[in-house]
Amino acid sequence: MFEVKHITKTYGTGRTQVTALDDVSFRLDRGRLLAVLGPSGSGKTTLVSIIAGLLQPTSGEIIIGGKQVHLRSAAEAARYRRTEVGLVFQEHHLVPYLTARENLLLVPHLSGRVTRAHKERADTLLADFGLTERAAHRPSLLSGGERQRVAIARALMNEPEIMLVDEPTSSLDTERGLQVVELLKQQIHERAMTCIMVTHDPRMAGHADEELHLVDGKVVDNGARAAVEAGIQKS
Ligand SMILES: Nc1ncnc2c1ncn2[C@@H]1O[C@H](COP(=O)(O)OP(=O)(O)OP(=O)(O)O)[C@@H](O)[C@H]1O
Ligand SMILES: [Mg+2]
């Protein structure tokens, strides 16, 4: 079980202060994919960055399997990111001069040792994501969707507890985007991980197991969301 409890994040001070997240709480069981939706500026990336251990919340806590995650020191946060989190951001951050397969093996390579198990895992993931034929290609020779699948496969290499995906499919047409979401969901279910995926696309969110809607940094329930949407339509 993954839990976010009363997370608040304020940027800046004084007159330029922005409350990006305001008392956000939710729970997610293992094997579940949560879609986070909300207008631009509603706090989605801030939420993902906090869960990733890249950003300190102003207050609130993250709890995994009943234990609070401590991210106060840089070393703790780095360890948490390395062992628990798989991260895919909008710019995929693939290394341009490495092949798809080498991109998957980059983290074990940087940790000092690429074992046979690492190579087998990379090949399995490449196959799972339909990339076997593309394994020896560099990112510049891959399509947008293929690059995205490489980035997701790479994030799965260290068997994270939590996968965090910010805008996975914004660069893709909806059909191919939905395929990527389906592949991701399959992996999440099979590996009993949790996944939080930011998307602007309601169809994409429809393929998730659960949805969380943010408006102005707050979680809104269905009734409130309908009211907000009605308000947006009126104005
Ligand atoms: N580093 C920062 N310093 C100050 N304010 C910030 C910073 N990062 C984000 N904000 C503000 O916090 C709010 C939430 O930003 P965030 O990036 O989380 O939104 P988002 O939902 O991901 O938006 P988008 O859909 O456009 O990616 C916005 O008002 C934004 O201007
Ligand atoms: Mg964002």
Side-chain angles (χ1 to χ4, degrees):
M1 167 88 88
F2 174 80
E3 266 182 286
V4 162
K5 274 193 177 170
H6 306 297
I7 295 253
T8 293
K9 176 67 186 180
T10 313
Y11 290 110
T13 52
R15 284 206 300 149
T16 57
Q17 188 166 311
V18 176
T19 301
L21 293 175
D22 188 357
D23 196 20
V24 170
S25 299
F26 65 89
R27 296 167 161 225
L28 196 59
D29 279 328
R30 276 175 168 272
R32 306 287 282 175
L33 171 63
L34 172 77
V36 176
L37 290 126
S40 185
S42 58
K44 304 180 299 294
T45 296
T46 302
L47 179 65
V48 166
S49 303
I50 289 172
I51 296 170
L54 293 167
L55 193 65
Q56 287 261 358
T58 307
S59 60
E61 48 195 51
I62 296 167
I63 295 166
I64 300 176
K67 274 192 274 181
Q68 188 180 347
V69 178
H70 292 281
L71 302 169
R72 296 289 164 228
S73 76
E76 279 172 341
R79 202 201 130 272
Y80 166 75
R81 280 201 301 275
R82 203 171 51 240
T83 57
E84 312 274 357
V85 179
L87 199 55
V88 184
F89 272 128
Q90 189 162 13
E91 304 81 23
H92 305 129
H93 302 303
L94 295 176
V95 180
Y97 52 85
L98 297 180
T99 67
R101 188 169 185 270
E102 286 165 349
N103 265 281
L104 262 65
L105 292 170
L106 180 63
V107 173
H109 179 76
L110 293 176
S111 316
R113 217 161 80 90
V114 178
T115 63
R116 189 193 196 124
H118 288 132
K119 289 181 187 165
E120 282 172 8
R121 182 157 174 74
D123 291 334
T124 302
L125 282 166
L126 287 167
D128 285 349
F129 282 88
L131 292 164
T132 304
E133 308 284 298
R134 296 284 176 273
H137 289 56
R138 291 178 184 189
S140 61
L141 299 178
L142 300 174
S143 74
E146 286 165 349
R147 277 201 286 272
Q148 191 159 55
R149 268 138 57 203
V150 173
I152 294 173
R154 183 178 62 178
L156 286 163
M157 272 298 286
N158 66 339
E159 307 190 292
E161 288 285 319
I162 314 153
M163 270 293 277
L164 297 168
V165 188
D166 197 359
E167 313 273 28
T169 46
S170 52
S171 56
L172 302 182
D173 59 72
T174 306
E175 272 323 306
R176 276 189 297 168
L178 290 177
Q179 279 171 18
V180 174
V181 175
E182 276 304 320
L183 279 168
L184 183 59
K185 194 164 131 186
Q186 227 174 312
Q187 296 286 324
I188 304 304
H189 289 187
E190 275 171 23
R191 293 163 201 274
M193 313 174 345
T194 52
C195 178
I196 297 171
M197 174 184 89
V198 170
T199 178
H200 277 112
D201 187 335
R203 278 186 63 193
M204 225 69 89
H207 282 243
D209 300 305
E210 295 175 39
E211 292 181 18
L212 183 87
H213 291 251
L214 288 177
V215 174
D216 291 339
K218 291 193 187 67
V219 178
V220 293
D221 64 26
N222 288 325
R225 195 194 327 148
V228 169
E229 279 164 8
I232 290 168
Q233 273 161 12
K234 256 185 275 164
S235 57

